[in-house]
Amino acid sequence: MKRFVQALEKVQITVGIVFLCIFFLVIMLQIITRHMGISLIWTTEVSKYAFIWSIFMGAAVMVNRREHFNFDFLLKNLKGKKKIALSIFNDVILILFNIAIFILGLQVVNEFWNYTWVSIPEMKMGYIWIAIPIMAGTMVIYSLAHLIDHFNSLKAKGVHE
């Protein structure tokens, strides 16, 4: 499971970086062309949607790295089984929340798939909206992997109150 999670994280980081680079390059192009008196109408949409994808991929990676959605104050002050129990609680809440986001995200994708971009009518909005269930689905996978680790820690003999 750990290898799969690591590979999934690498893919998400790569996708996020690609979309962040697209965002940056399109914004730079927009700045340069506007300075030259040329207005490219598609740059606003492309930059906005590339940014959305990079943010959603990054958010999922942050969940995997436990740098997102944490009760740091409590976790720092708890030890042993109490700390693991709080971590299990956090993971269960994240799993339930992200299952809901995943299901609702699929509904949004289904509903708006055939809508088109304003500036590039050949592009479907479904390609943008699908980032939501991808993010939520990977967050569920990451949280399940953490949950398994926490249960394994509880079973380990080295955990003391």
Side-chain angles (χ1 to χ4, degrees), residues 11 16 31 53 72 77 89 93 102 107:
V11 168
I31 291 169
W53 264 87
D72 286 346
N77 293 317
F89 175 77
I93 295 298
F102 179 80
Q107 291 174 355

Side-chain angles (χ1 to χ4, degrees), residues 80-81 84 148-160:
K81 289 183 181 180
I84 293 171
I148 290 167
D149 289 343
H150 296 312
F151 280 118
N152 289 338
S153 294
L154 275 178
K155 291 179 183 177
K157 295 180 182 178
V159 177
H160 301 288

Side-chain angles (χ1 to χ4, degrees), residues 14 37 51 81 85 89 99 109 113 156 158:
T14 302
F51 191 68
K81 289 183 181 180
F89 175 77
I99 287 172
V109 170
W113 183 266

Side-chain angles (χ1 to χ4, degrees), residues 108-125:
V108 167
V109 170
N110 188 44
E111 180 72 27
F112 296 106
W113 183 266
N114 288 318
Y115 283 50
T116 59
W117 293 22
V118 173
S119 61
I120 309 172
E122 295 80 21
M123 291 293 295
K124 301 218 180 271
M125 285 301 294

Side-chain angles (χ1 to χ4, degrees), residues 3-159:
R3 280 188 175 173
F4 173 73
V5 168
Q6 289 171 343
L8 184 60
E9 182 182 293
K10 283 183 183 181
V11 168
Q12 278 195 296
I13 288 173
T14 302
V15 170
I17 288 171
V18 166
F19 279 107
L20 200 56
C21 289
I22 291 169
F23 168 77
F24 178 76
L25 292 172
V26 169
I27 291 295
M28 293 306 298
L29 178 65
Q30 188 178 43
I31 291 169
I32 291 167
T33 56
R34 282 193 181 180
H35 184 68
M36 294 173 13
I38 303 167
S39 180
L40 301 174
I41 60 171
W42 56 268
T43 55
T44 303
E45 274 188 305
V46 171
S47 63
K48 179 174 37 175
Y49 300 146
F51 191 68
I52 288 169
W53 264 87
S54 65
I55 293 300
F56 282 177
M57 296 304 104
V61 170
M62 297 308 283
V63 165
N64 186 44
R65 294 182 178 184
R66 300 172 200 246
E67 296 175 1
H68 211 299
F69 305 116
N70 251 337
F71 297 116
D72 286 346
F73 177 75
L74 291 174
L75 282 174
K76 288 178 184 175
N77 293 317
L78 294 175
K79 302 254 189 264
K81 289 183 181 180
K82 290 180 182 177
K83 184 174 186 174
I84 293 171
L86 180 59
S87 295
I88 288 171
F89 175 77
N90 290 346
D91 289 334
V92 168
I93 295 298
L94 273 174
I95 290 166
L96 294 174
F97 177 76
N98 283 304
I99 287 172
I101 295 297
F102 179 80
I103 292 168
L104 293 172
L106 288 176
Q107 291 174 355
V108 167
V109 170
N110 188 44
E111 180 72 27
F112 296 106
W113 183 266
N114 288 318
Y115 283 50
T116 59
W117 293 22
V118 173
S119 61
I120 309 172
E122 295 80 21
M123 291 293 295
K124 301 218 180 271
M125 285 301 294
Y127 296 119
I128 306 309
W129 290 107
I130 203 158
I132 296 170
I134 290 172
M135 174 201 67
T138 54
M139 284 182 175
V140 168
I141 292 168
Y142 294 145
S143 296
L144 283 171
H146 294 160
L147 194 62
I148 290 167
D149 289 343
H150 296 312
F151 280 118
N152 289 338
S153 294
L154 275 178
K155 291 179 183 177
K157 295 180 182 178
V159 177

